Amino acid sequence: YQSLADHYSLTIIPARPRTPKDKGKVENGVLVVERWILFRLRKRVFHQLHDLNQAIQELLLDLNQRKFQKLPGSRRSTFEALDLPAMQPLPNGDFEYAEFRRVRVSMDGCVSVDDRPYSVPQTLVRKEVELRLTAGVIEVLYGGRRVASHQRTPGSEPVIDPLHLSDSQRYYRTWNSANELDWALTVGLNVHAFLQARLQDTQFKEQGYRLTMGLKKLEREAGAQRLDAACRKAIDICASSLHNIRSILKTRMESVSQGTTQEADFEHHNVRGAQYYH
Protein backbone atom coordinates (compact mmCIF):
# COMPACT_ATOMS: atom_id res chain seq x y z
CA TYR A 1 0.00 0.00 0.00
CA GLN A 2 2.84 2.38 0.85
CA SER A 3 4.60 1.40 -2.39
CA LEU A 4 1.47 2.35 -4.32
CA ALA A 5 1.39 5.74 -2.57
CA ASP A 6 5.08 6.34 -3.32
CA HIS A 7 4.56 5.45 -6.97
CA TYR A 8 1.85 8.09 -7.38
CA SER A 9 3.43 10.61 -4.93
CA LEU A 10 0.46 10.43 -2.58
CA THR A 11 0.10 10.89 1.15
CA ILE A 12 -2.25 8.46 2.84
CA ILE A 13 -4.00 9.44 6.08
CA PRO A 14 -6.10 6.45 7.19
CA ALA A 15 -9.42 6.94 8.96
CA ARG A 16 -10.07 5.23 12.25
CA PRO A 17 -12.15 2.02 12.14
CA ARG A 18 -15.91 2.58 12.46
CA THR A 19 -15.45 6.37 12.50
CA PRO A 20 -17.11 7.75 9.34
CA LYS A 21 -16.72 11.34 10.54
CA ASP A 22 -12.96 11.05 9.86
CA LYS A 23 -13.82 11.01 6.14
CA GLY A 24 -16.95 13.14 6.12
CA LYS A 25 -16.31 14.65 2.67
CA VAL A 26 -15.99 11.18 1.16
CA GLU A 27 -19.18 9.96 2.81
CA ASN A 28 -21.01 13.10 1.67
CA GLY A 29 -19.75 12.61 -1.89
CA VAL A 30 -21.22 9.10 -1.93
CA LEU A 31 -24.54 10.50 -0.72
CA VAL A 32 -24.57 13.18 -3.43
CA VAL A 33 -23.87 10.64 -6.18
CA GLU A 34 -26.64 8.36 -4.92
CA ARG A 35 -29.14 11.23 -4.94
CA TRP A 36 -28.24 13.03 -8.16
CA ILE A 37 -27.06 10.13 -10.36
CA LEU A 38 -28.18 6.68 -9.17
CA PHE A 39 -31.62 7.80 -8.05
CA ARG A 40 -32.27 9.53 -11.37
CA LEU A 41 -31.28 6.39 -13.30
CA ARG A 42 -33.19 3.89 -11.17
CA LYS A 43 -36.07 3.42 -13.64
CA ARG A 44 -34.08 3.44 -16.88
CA VAL A 45 -33.13 0.18 -18.61
CA PHE A 46 -29.79 -0.14 -20.40
CA HIS A 47 -28.87 -2.95 -22.80
CA GLN A 48 -25.25 -1.89 -23.37
CA LEU A 49 -22.53 -0.78 -20.99
CA HIS A 50 -21.65 2.10 -23.32
CA ASP A 51 -25.15 3.52 -23.00
CA LEU A 52 -25.00 3.33 -19.21
CA ASN A 53 -21.61 5.07 -19.08
CA GLN A 54 -22.84 7.82 -21.38
CA ALA A 55 -25.89 8.46 -19.17
CA ILE A 56 -23.71 8.59 -16.04
CA GLN A 57 -21.32 11.01 -17.77
CA GLU A 58 -24.18 13.39 -18.63
CA LEU A 59 -25.52 13.41 -15.06
CA LEU A 60 -22.00 13.74 -13.63
CA LEU A 61 -21.39 16.83 -15.75
CA ASP A 62 -24.67 18.31 -14.53
CA LEU A 63 -23.78 17.50 -10.90
CA ASN A 64 -20.32 19.12 -11.07
CA GLN A 65 -21.69 22.31 -12.64
CA ARG A 66 -24.56 22.65 -10.15
CA LYS A 67 -24.14 25.71 -7.91
CA PHE A 68 -23.41 25.23 -4.22
CA GLN A 69 -26.25 26.23 -1.90
CA LYS A 70 -24.13 27.89 0.81
CA LEU A 71 -20.75 28.41 -0.90
CA PRO A 72 -19.77 30.37 -3.99
CA GLY A 73 -19.16 28.50 -7.22
CA SER A 74 -19.63 24.83 -8.05
CA ARG A 75 -17.68 21.60 -7.75
CA ARG A 76 -16.20 22.22 -11.21
CA SER A 77 -15.04 25.75 -10.45
CA THR A 78 -13.59 24.69 -7.07
CA PHE A 79 -11.68 21.85 -8.75
CA GLU A 80 -10.23 24.21 -11.37
CA ALA A 81 -9.21 26.75 -8.71
CA LEU A 82 -7.71 24.43 -6.06
CA ASP A 83 -6.98 20.93 -7.36
CA LEU A 84 -6.07 21.42 -10.99
CA PRO A 85 -3.03 23.73 -10.37
CA ALA A 86 -1.58 21.22 -7.89
CA MET A 87 -2.02 18.15 -10.11
CA GLN A 88 1.05 16.34 -11.43
CA PRO A 89 1.41 14.11 -14.50
CA LEU A 90 1.09 10.37 -14.04
CA PRO A 91 4.31 8.32 -13.65
CA ASN A 92 5.94 7.12 -16.85
CA GLY A 93 5.57 3.46 -15.92
CA ASP A 94 2.71 1.43 -14.51
CA PHE A 95 2.67 0.51 -10.86
CA GLU A 96 4.09 -2.97 -10.30
CA TYR A 97 2.47 -4.91 -7.52
CA ALA A 98 4.96 -6.24 -4.97
CA GLU A 99 4.55 -8.85 -2.25
CA PHE A 100 6.67 -8.75 0.91
CA ARG A 101 7.75 -11.73 2.99
CA ARG A 102 9.98 -12.25 6.00
CA VAL A 103 12.12 -15.39 5.76
CA ARG A 104 15.23 -16.81 7.38
CA VAL A 105 18.26 -17.61 5.21
CA SER A 106 19.02 -21.34 5.25
CA MET A 107 22.40 -22.90 5.99
CA ASP A 108 23.18 -23.19 2.28
CA GLY A 109 22.91 -19.40 1.90
CA CYS A 110 19.64 -19.42 -0.06
CA VAL A 111 16.03 -18.36 0.30
CA SER A 112 13.22 -20.30 -1.34
CA VAL A 113 10.60 -18.70 -3.61
CA ASP A 114 8.14 -20.93 -5.48
CA ASP A 115 10.21 -23.96 -4.38
CA ARG A 116 13.31 -22.56 -6.11
CA PRO A 117 16.40 -21.52 -4.08
CA TYR A 118 17.93 -18.07 -4.70
CA SER A 119 21.30 -17.12 -3.23
CA VAL A 120 22.03 -14.28 -0.82
CA PRO A 121 25.41 -13.12 0.58
CA GLN A 122 26.96 -15.74 2.86
CA THR A 123 27.19 -13.24 5.72
CA LEU A 124 23.40 -13.45 6.07
CA VAL A 125 23.22 -17.20 6.74
CA ARG A 126 20.60 -17.97 9.44
CA LYS A 127 19.56 -14.31 9.59
CA GLU A 128 16.07 -12.97 8.92
CA VAL A 129 15.66 -10.99 5.70
CA GLU A 130 12.74 -9.40 3.86
CA LEU A 131 11.80 -10.38 0.32
CA ARG A 132 10.19 -8.01 -2.16
CA LEU A 133 8.57 -10.12 -4.85
CA THR A 134 7.21 -8.85 -8.15
CA ALA A 135 6.15 -10.76 -11.24
CA GLY A 136 9.69 -10.73 -12.64
CA VAL A 137 12.14 -9.76 -9.87
CA ILE A 138 13.11 -11.04 -6.41
CA GLU A 139 14.78 -8.49 -4.14
CA VAL A 140 16.36 -9.36 -0.79
CA LEU A 141 16.30 -6.56 1.80
CA TYR A 142 18.28 -6.47 5.03
CA GLY A 143 18.67 -3.57 7.40
CA GLY A 144 16.61 -1.31 5.16
CA ARG A 145 18.75 -1.79 2.04
CA ARG A 146 18.82 -4.17 -0.91
CA VAL A 147 21.53 -6.82 -0.64
CA ALA A 148 20.57 -9.14 -3.53
CA SER A 149 18.40 -9.20 -6.63
CA HIS A 150 17.44 -12.03 -8.99
CA GLN A 151 15.24 -12.48 -12.03
CA ARG A 152 12.20 -14.51 -10.99
CA THR A 153 12.07 -17.57 -13.21
CA PRO A 154 10.23 -20.91 -13.04
CA GLY A 155 12.05 -24.14 -12.26
CA SER A 156 13.65 -25.95 -9.34
CA GLU A 157 17.39 -25.55 -9.98
CA PRO A 158 19.15 -23.14 -7.56
CA VAL A 159 19.85 -19.63 -8.88
CA ILE A 160 23.33 -18.72 -7.60
CA ASP A 161 25.12 -15.39 -7.92
CA PRO A 162 28.92 -16.09 -7.78
CA LEU A 163 29.44 -12.86 -5.82
CA HIS A 164 27.38 -14.32 -2.98
CA LEU A 165 29.68 -17.31 -2.52
CA SER A 166 32.69 -17.63 -0.26
CA ASP A 167 36.12 -18.30 -1.80
CA SER A 168 35.87 -22.04 -1.19
CA GLN A 169 32.33 -22.25 -2.57
CA ARG A 170 33.27 -20.22 -5.62
CA TYR A 171 36.26 -22.52 -6.25
CA TYR A 172 34.07 -25.62 -5.92
CA ARG A 173 31.63 -24.35 -8.55
CA THR A 174 34.49 -23.74 -11.03
CA TRP A 175 36.32 -26.98 -10.19
CA ASN A 176 37.18 -29.40 -12.98
CA SER A 177 39.44 -32.44 -13.19
CA ALA A 178 41.63 -31.07 -16.01
CA ASN A 179 42.87 -28.19 -13.88
CA GLU A 180 43.58 -30.53 -10.96
CA LEU A 181 45.61 -32.86 -13.16
CA ASP A 182 47.65 -29.88 -14.34
CA TRP A 183 48.33 -29.03 -10.70
CA ALA A 184 49.36 -32.63 -9.99
CA LEU A 185 52.00 -32.46 -12.75
CA THR A 186 53.60 -29.50 -10.98
CA VAL A 187 53.94 -31.62 -7.83
CA GLY A 188 55.22 -34.87 -9.36
CA LEU A 189 54.59 -37.54 -11.95
CA ASN A 190 53.51 -40.04 -9.30
CA VAL A 191 50.97 -37.63 -7.85
CA HIS A 192 49.61 -37.11 -11.36
CA ALA A 193 49.39 -40.87 -11.99
CA PHE A 194 47.69 -41.54 -8.65
CA LEU A 195 45.19 -38.68 -9.09
CA GLN A 196 44.41 -39.62 -12.69
CA ALA A 197 43.65 -43.22 -11.72
CA ARG A 198 41.45 -42.14 -8.83
CA LEU A 199 39.52 -39.55 -10.85
CA GLN A 200 38.63 -42.21 -13.40
CA ASP A 201 36.92 -44.17 -10.62
CA THR A 202 34.89 -41.23 -9.25
CA GLN A 203 31.27 -40.83 -10.31
CA PHE A 204 30.44 -37.47 -8.75
CA LYS A 205 32.08 -34.08 -8.73
CA GLU A 206 32.10 -34.01 -4.93
CA GLN A 207 34.33 -37.11 -4.81
CA GLY A 208 36.95 -35.62 -7.10
CA TYR A 209 36.82 -32.29 -5.28
CA ARG A 210 37.41 -33.87 -1.87
CA LEU A 211 40.23 -36.05 -3.22
CA THR A 212 42.16 -33.14 -4.74
CA MET A 213 41.58 -30.94 -1.68
CA GLY A 214 42.96 -33.75 0.48
CA LEU A 215 46.06 -34.13 -1.70
CA LYS A 216 46.70 -30.38 -1.64
CA LYS A 217 46.45 -30.37 2.13
CA LEU A 218 48.96 -33.23 2.36
CA GLU A 219 51.31 -31.30 0.05
CA ARG A 220 51.20 -28.30 2.38
CA GLU A 221 51.85 -30.50 5.41
CA ALA A 222 54.48 -32.92 4.07
CA GLY A 223 55.88 -31.18 1.00
CA ALA A 224 55.79 -32.02 -2.69
CA GLN A 225 58.74 -34.45 -2.60
CA ARG A 226 57.33 -36.65 0.18
CA LEU A 227 53.84 -36.60 -1.35
CA ASP A 228 55.19 -37.73 -4.71
CA ALA A 229 57.12 -40.55 -3.01
CA ALA A 230 54.03 -41.56 -1.04
CA CYS A 231 51.99 -41.74 -4.24
CA ARG A 232 54.69 -43.92 -5.83
CA LYS A 233 54.52 -46.23 -2.81
CA ALA A 234 50.73 -46.34 -2.99
CA ILE A 235 50.85 -47.28 -6.67
CA ASP A 236 53.40 -50.04 -5.94
CA ILE A 237 51.25 -51.63 -3.22
CA CYS A 238 47.98 -51.01 -5.13
CA ALA A 239 46.63 -48.60 -2.50
CA SER A 240 43.87 -46.45 -3.93
CA SER A 241 42.51 -44.17 -1.19
CA LEU A 242 43.53 -40.86 0.30
CA HIS A 243 43.62 -42.58 3.69
CA ASN A 244 46.40 -44.84 2.40
CA ILE A 245 48.47 -41.84 1.31
CA ARG A 246 47.99 -40.22 4.71
CA SER A 247 49.00 -43.46 6.47
CA ILE A 248 52.14 -43.84 4.32
CA LEU A 249 53.22 -40.30 5.17
CA LYS A 250 52.46 -40.77 8.87
CA THR A 251 54.56 -43.95 9.11
CA ARG A 252 57.17 -42.63 6.63
CA MET A 253 56.77 -45.76 4.52
CA GLU A 254 57.54 -43.75 1.39
CA SER A 255 61.27 -43.93 2.29
CA VAL A 256 61.27 -47.75 2.59
CA SER A 257 62.33 -49.36 -0.69
CA GLN A 258 60.96 -52.60 -2.07
CA GLY A 259 62.77 -55.92 -1.52
CA THR A 260 64.42 -55.13 1.82
CA THR A 261 62.73 -58.01 3.68
CA GLN A 262 64.61 -61.33 3.92
CA GLU A 263 64.22 -64.74 5.51
CA ALA A 264 65.49 -65.24 9.04
CA ASP A 265 69.06 -66.68 9.09
CA PHE A 266 68.93 -68.37 12.52
CA GLU A 267 67.67 -71.75 13.72
CA HIS A 268 64.49 -71.88 15.87
CA HIS A 269 61.78 -74.50 16.28
CA ASN A 270 59.10 -71.94 15.34
CA VAL A 271 60.90 -71.05 12.12
CA ARG A 272 60.39 -73.97 9.76
CA GLY A 273 61.93 -72.50 6.62
CA ALA A 274 60.98 -72.85 2.96
CA GLN A 275 61.78 -76.57 2.85
CA TYR A 276 58.91 -77.27 5.24
CA TYR A 277 56.40 -76.58 2.47
CA HIS A 278 58.00 -79.07 0.12
Side-chain angles (χ1 to χ4, degrees):
Y1 193 39
Q2 184 61 48
S3 299
L4 177 66
D6 294 340
H7 180 76
Y8 289 106
S9 301
L10 300 177
T11 300
I12 298 172
I13 305 177
R16 292 170 295 177
R18 297 180 297 277
T19 312
K21 290 184 178 181
D22 283 2
K23 53 184 191 308
K25 292 184 180 296
V26 176
E27 297 291 345
N28 184 66
V30 173
L31 178 62
V32 169
V33 169
E34 288 181 345
R35 287 178 176 176
W36 293 98
I37 296 181
L38 297 182
F39 184 78
R40 296 165 70 180
L41 295 176
R42 71 190 186 282
K43 293 183 178 181
R44 293 180 59 178
V45 178
F46 299 92
H47 299 283
Q48 292 184 0
L49 180 61
H50 173 73
D51 296 337
L52 174 60
N53 286 330
Q54 186 175 3
I56 293 175
Q57 182 67 28
E58 294 173 357
L59 294 179
L60 180 63
L61 181 63
D62 176 70
L63 173 61
N64 288 334
Q65 293 178 347
R66 186 181 297 272
K67 299 294 183 180
F68 289 130
Q69 293 182 0
K70 299 181 180 180
L71 295 174
S74 62
R75 289 179 174 81
R76 182 66 187 181
S77 62
T78 303
F79 168 77
E80 292 176 350
L82 297 179
D83 298 325
L84 186 59
M87 292 183 66
Q88 300 178 5
L90 290 173
N92 294 328
D94 296 335
F95 172 72
E96 188 173 23
Y97 173 76
E99 178 184 352
F100 290 85
R101 299 180 189 172
R102 284 195 173 275
V103 298
R104 189 171 298 277
V105 181
S106 60
M107 290 297 296
D108 60 357
C110 293
V111 294
S112 181
V113 178
D114 302 330
D115 296 327
R116 184 169 199 174
Y118 294 87
S119 68
V120 302
Q122 289 296 307
T123 54
L124 299 179
V125 169
R126 302 187 66 179
K127 293 184 179 180
E128 191 177 71
V129 297
E130 187 174 28
L131 302 182
R132 181 180 182 272
L133 309 177
T134 64
V137 178
I138 296 174
E139 294 179 298
V140 183
L141 310 176
Y142 181 75
R145 62 186 184 91
R146 186 175 68 177
V147 295
S149 179
H150 297 280
Q151 291 292 325
R152 190 173 185 177
T153 53
S156 58
E157 291 296 322
V159 179
I160 306 297
D161 186 342
L163 297 178
H164 296 161
L165 302 176
S166 62
D167 292 339
S168 58
Q169 291 173 323
R170 193 177 298 112
Y171 177 76
Y172 170 73
R173 295 186 63 84
T174 59
W175 182 92
N176 63 79
S177 58
N179 292 338
E180 302 305 329
L181 290 174
D182 292 340
W183 163 82
L185 277 177
T186 63
V187 180
L189 295 178
N190 296 296
V191 176
H192 179 269
F194 177 82
L195 180 61
Q196 187 177 37
R198 291 291 293 114
L199 288 177
Q200 291 177 353
D201 297 334
T202 58
Q203 298 180 351
F204 303 101
K205 178 180 178 179
E206 290 82 357
Q207 294 174 309
Y209 173 79
R210 291 188 176 186
L211 174 63
T212 52
M213 290 299 100
L215 287 176
K216 289 182 178 181
K217 182 179 180 181
L218 292 178
E219 183 201 9
R220 292 192 298 269
E221 295 175 350
Q225 186 174 0
R226 287 194 61 198
L227 178 61
D228 190 60
C231 289
R232 182 186 67 248
K233 185 72 173 181
I235 294 173
D236 291 342
I237 63 176
C238 298
S240 59
S241 70
L242 189 63
H243 174 74
N244 298 137
I245 301 294
R246 190 177 293 110
S247 178
I248 291 172
L249 291 172
K250 184 177 181 180
T251 58
R252 294 189 175 273
M253 285 183 58
E254 79 279 1
S255 59
V256 179
S257 60
Q258 294 287 344
T260 57
T261 58
Q262 59 183 1
E263 190 176 342
D265 57 354
F266 56 88
E267 295 293 335
H268 191 276
H269 65 276
N270 284 338
V271 180
R272 300 184 180 94
Q275 70 278 3
Y276 174 82
Y277 298 98
H278 299 281

Coordinates of all heavy atoms in Angstrom, one line a residue, residues 27-42 44 52 54-69 75:
E27 N -17.8 10.5 2.6 CA -19.2 10.0 2.8 C -20.2 10.9 2.2 O -21.2 10.4 1.6 CB -19.4 9.8 4.3 CG -18.5 8.9 5.0 CD -18.8 7.4 4.6 OE1 -19.8 7.1 4.1 OE2 -17.9 6.5 4.9
N28 N -20.1 12.2 2.3 CA -21.0 13.1 1.7 C -21.0 13.0 0.2 O -22.1 13.1 -0.5 CB -20.7 14.5 2.1 CG -21.7 15.5 1.6 OD1 -22.9 15.5 2.0 ND2 -21.3 16.4 0.7
G29 N -19.8 12.8 -0.4 CA -19.7 12.6 -1.9 C -20.5 11.4 -2.4 O -21.2 11.4 -3.4
V30 N -20.4 10.3 -1.6 CA -21.2 9.1 -1.9 C -22.7 9.4 -1.9 O -23.5 9.0 -2.8 CB -20.9 8.0 -1.0 CG1 -21.8 6.7 -1.2 CG2 -19.4 7.6 -1.1
L31 N -23.1 10.1 -0.9 CA -24.5 10.5 -0.7 C -25.0 11.3 -1.9 O -26.1 11.1 -2.4 CB -24.8 11.2 0.6 CG -26.2 11.7 0.9 CD1 -27.2 10.6 1.0 CD2 -26.2 12.6 2.2
V32 N -24.2 12.3 -2.3 CA -24.6 13.2 -3.4 C -24.7 12.4 -4.7 O -25.7 12.6 -5.5 CB -23.5 14.3 -3.6 CG1 -23.8 15.1 -4.9 CG2 -23.6 15.3 -2.4
V33 N -23.8 11.5 -5.0 CA -23.9 10.6 -6.2 C -25.1 9.8 -6.2 O -25.8 9.6 -7.2 CB -22.6 9.8 -6.3 CG1 -22.8 8.7 -7.4 CG2 -21.4 10.7 -6.6
E34 N -25.4 9.2 -5.0 CA -26.6 8.4 -4.9 C -27.9 9.2 -5.2 O -28.8 8.7 -5.9 CB -26.7 7.8 -3.5 CG -25.7 6.6 -3.3 CD -25.8 6.1 -1.9 OE1 -26.5 6.7 -1.0 OE2 -25.3 5.0 -1.6
R35 N -27.9 10.4 -4.7 CA -29.1 11.2 -4.9 C -29.3 11.8 -6.4 O -30.3 11.7 -7.0 CB -29.1 12.4 -4.0 CG -29.4 12.0 -2.5 CD -29.3 13.2 -1.6 NE -29.7 12.9 -0.2 CZ -29.7 13.7 0.8 NH1 -29.3 15.0 0.6 NH2 -30.0 13.4 2.0
W36 N -28.2 12.3 -6.9 CA -28.2 13.0 -8.2 C -27.9 12.2 -9.4 O -28.0 12.7 -10.5 CB -27.3 14.3 -8.1 CG -27.8 15.3 -7.1 CD1 -27.4 15.4 -5.8 CD2 -28.9 16.2 -7.3 NE1 -28.1 16.4 -5.2 CE2 -29.0 17.0 -6.1 CE3 -29.7 16.6 -8.4 CZ2 -29.9 18.0 -5.9 CZ3 -30.6 17.6 -8.2 CH2 -30.7 18.3 -7.0
I37 N -27.4 11.0 -9.2 CA -27.1 10.1 -10.4 C -27.8 8.8 -10.3 O -28.6 8.5 -11.2 CB -25.5 9.9 -10.5 CG1 -24.8 11.2 -10.7 CG2 -25.2 8.9 -11.6 CD1 -23.3 11.1 -10.9
L38 N -27.6 8.0 -9.3 CA -28.2 6.7 -9.2 C -29.7 6.8 -9.0 O -30.4 6.0 -9.7 CB -27.6 5.9 -8.0 CG -26.1 5.6 -8.0 CD1 -25.7 4.8 -6.8 CD2 -25.7 4.8 -9.3
F39 N -30.2 7.7 -8.2 CA -31.6 7.8 -8.1 C -32.3 8.2 -9.4 O -33.4 7.7 -9.7 CB -31.9 8.8 -6.9 CG -33.3 8.9 -6.6 CD1 -34.0 8.0 -5.8 CD2 -34.1 10.0 -7.1 CE1 -35.3 8.1 -5.5 CE2 -35.5 10.1 -6.8 CZ -36.1 9.2 -6.0
R40 N -31.7 9.1 -10.1 CA -32.3 9.5 -11.4 C -32.2 8.5 -12.5 O -32.9 8.6 -13.5 CB -31.6 10.8 -11.8 CG -31.7 12.0 -10.9 CD -30.8 13.1 -11.1 NE -31.1 13.8 -12.4 CZ -30.4 14.8 -12.8 NH1 -29.3 15.3 -12.1 NH2 -30.7 15.4 -13.9
L41 N -31.4 7.5 -12.3 CA -31.3 6.4 -13.3 C -32.0 5.1 -12.9 O -31.9 4.1 -13.6 CB -29.8 6.1 -13.6 CG -28.9 7.1 -14.2 CD1 -27.5 6.7 -14.3 CD2 -29.5 7.5 -15.6
R42 N -32.7 5.1 -11.7 CA -33.2 3.9 -11.2 C -34.2 3.2 -12.0 O -34.4 2.0 -12.0 CB -33.7 4.2 -9.8 CG -35.0 5.0 -9.7 CD -35.4 5.4 -8.3 NE -36.7 6.1 -8.3 CZ -37.0 7.3 -8.7 NH1 -36.0 8.0 -9.2 NH2 -38.2 7.8 -8.6
R44 N -34.5 3.6 -15.5 CA -34.1 3.4 -16.9 C -33.5 2.1 -17.1 O -32.8 1.5 -16.2 CB -33.1 4.5 -17.3 CG -33.7 5.9 -17.3 CD -32.7 7.0 -17.7 NE -32.2 6.7 -19.0 CZ -31.3 7.5 -19.6 NH1 -30.8 8.6 -19.0 NH2 -30.8 7.2 -20.8
L52 N -25.0 3.0 -20.6 CA -25.0 3.3 -19.2 C -23.9 4.3 -18.8 O -24.2 5.3 -18.1 CB -24.8 2.0 -18.4 CG -24.7 2.2 -16.9 CD1 -25.9 2.9 -16.3 CD2 -24.4 0.9 -16.2
Q54 N -22.5 6.5 -20.8 CA -22.8 7.8 -21.4 C -23.9 8.6 -20.5 O -23.8 9.8 -20.3 CB -23.4 7.6 -22.8 CG -23.6 8.9 -23.6 CD -24.0 8.7 -25.0 OE1 -24.1 7.6 -25.5 NE2 -24.2 9.8 -25.7
A55 N -24.9 7.8 -20.0 CA -25.9 8.5 -19.2 C -25.3 9.0 -17.9 O -25.6 10.1 -17.4 CB -27.0 7.5 -18.9
I56 N -24.4 8.2 -17.3 CA -23.7 8.6 -16.0 C -22.9 9.8 -16.3 O -22.8 10.8 -15.5 CB -22.8 7.4 -15.5 CG1 -23.7 6.3 -15.0 CG2 -22.0 7.9 -14.3 CD1 -23.0 5.1 -14.5
Q57 N -22.2 9.9 -17.4 CA -21.3 11.0 -17.8 C -22.1 12.3 -17.9 O -21.7 13.4 -17.4 CB -20.6 10.7 -19.1 CG -19.6 11.8 -19.5 CD -18.5 12.0 -18.6 OE1 -18.1 11.0 -18.0 NE2 -17.9 13.2 -18.5
E58 N -23.3 12.2 -18.5 CA -24.2 13.4 -18.6 C -24.6 13.9 -17.3 O -24.6 15.1 -17.0 CB -25.4 13.1 -19.5 CG -25.0 12.7 -21.0 CD -26.2 12.2 -21.8 OE1 -27.3 12.1 -21.1 OE2 -26.0 12.0 -23.0
L59 N -25.1 13.0 -16.4 CA -25.5 13.4 -15.1 C -24.4 13.9 -14.2 O -24.5 14.8 -13.4 CB -26.2 12.2 -14.4 CG -27.6 11.8 -15.0 CD1 -28.1 10.6 -14.3 CD2 -28.5 12.9 -15.1
L60 N -23.2 13.3 -14.4 CA -22.0 13.7 -13.6 C -21.6 15.2 -14.0 O -21.3 16.0 -13.2 CB -20.8 12.8 -13.9 CG -19.5 13.1 -13.1 CD1 -19.7 13.0 -11.6 CD2 -18.4 12.1 -13.6
L61 N -21.7 15.5 -15.3 CA -21.4 16.8 -15.8 C -22.4 17.8 -15.2 O -22.0 18.9 -14.7 CB -21.4 16.9 -17.3 CG -21.1 18.2 -17.9 CD1 -19.7 18.6 -17.6 CD2 -21.3 18.1 -19.5
D62 N -23.6 17.4 -15.1 CA -24.7 18.3 -14.5 C -24.4 18.5 -13.0 O -24.6 19.6 -12.5 CB -26.0 17.7 -14.8 CG -27.2 18.5 -14.1 OD1 -27.4 19.6 -14.6 OD2 -27.7 18.0 -13.1
L63 N -24.0 17.4 -12.3 CA -23.8 17.5 -10.9 C -22.6 18.4 -10.6 O -22.7 19.3 -9.7 CB -23.5 16.1 -10.3 CG -23.1 16.0 -8.9 CD1 -24.1 16.6 -7.9 CD2 -22.7 14.6 -8.5
N64 N -21.5 18.3 -11.3 CA -20.3 19.1 -11.1 C -20.5 20.6 -11.4 O -19.9 21.5 -10.8 CB -19.1 18.6 -11.9 CG -18.6 17.3 -11.3 OD1 -18.8 17.0 -10.2 ND2 -18.0 16.5 -12.2
Q65 N -21.4 20.9 -12.3 CA -21.7 22.3 -12.6 C -22.8 22.9 -11.8 O -23.1 24.1 -11.9 CB -22.0 22.4 -14.1 CG -20.9 22.1 -15.0 CD -21.2 22.1 -16.5 OE1 -22.4 22.2 -16.9 NE2 -20.2 22.1 -17.4
R66 N -23.5 22.1 -11.0 CA -24.6 22.6 -10.1 C -24.0 23.6 -9.1 O -23.0 23.2 -8.4 CB -25.3 21.5 -9.5 CG -26.6 21.9 -8.7 CD -27.2 20.6 -8.1 NE -27.6 19.7 -9.2 CZ -28.8 19.8 -9.8 NH1 -29.7 20.7 -9.4 NH2 -29.1 18.9 -10.7
K67 N -24.6 24.7 -8.9 CA -24.1 25.7 -7.9 C -24.3 25.2 -6.5 O -25.3 24.5 -6.1 CB -24.9 27.0 -8.1 CG -24.8 27.7 -9.4 CD -23.3 28.2 -9.7 CE -23.2 28.9 -11.0 NZ -21.8 29.4 -11.3
F68 N -23.3 25.5 -5.6 CA -23.4 25.2 -4.2 C -24.5 26.1 -3.6 O -24.8 27.2 -4.0 CB -22.1 25.6 -3.5 CG -21.0 24.6 -3.8 CD1 -19.7 25.1 -4.2 CD2 -21.2 23.2 -3.7 CE1 -18.7 24.2 -4.4 CE2 -20.1 22.4 -4.0 CZ -18.9 22.9 -4.4
Q69 N -25.2 25.5 -2.6 CA -26.3 26.2 -1.9 C -25.7 27.3 -0.9 O -26.3 28.4 -0.8 CB -27.2 25.2 -1.2 CG -27.9 24.3 -2.1 CD -28.8 23.4 -1.3 OE1 -28.9 23.4 -0.1 NE2 -29.5 22.5 -2.1
R75 N -18.8 22.6 -7.9 CA -17.7 21.6 -7.8 C -16.7 21.7 -8.9 O -15.5 21.6 -8.7 CB -18.3 20.2 -7.7 CG -19.0 19.9 -6.5 CD -19.6 18.5 -6.5 NE -20.2 18.1 -5.2 CZ -21.4 18.5 -4.8 NH1 -22.2 19.2 -5.7 NH2 -21.9 18.2 -3.7

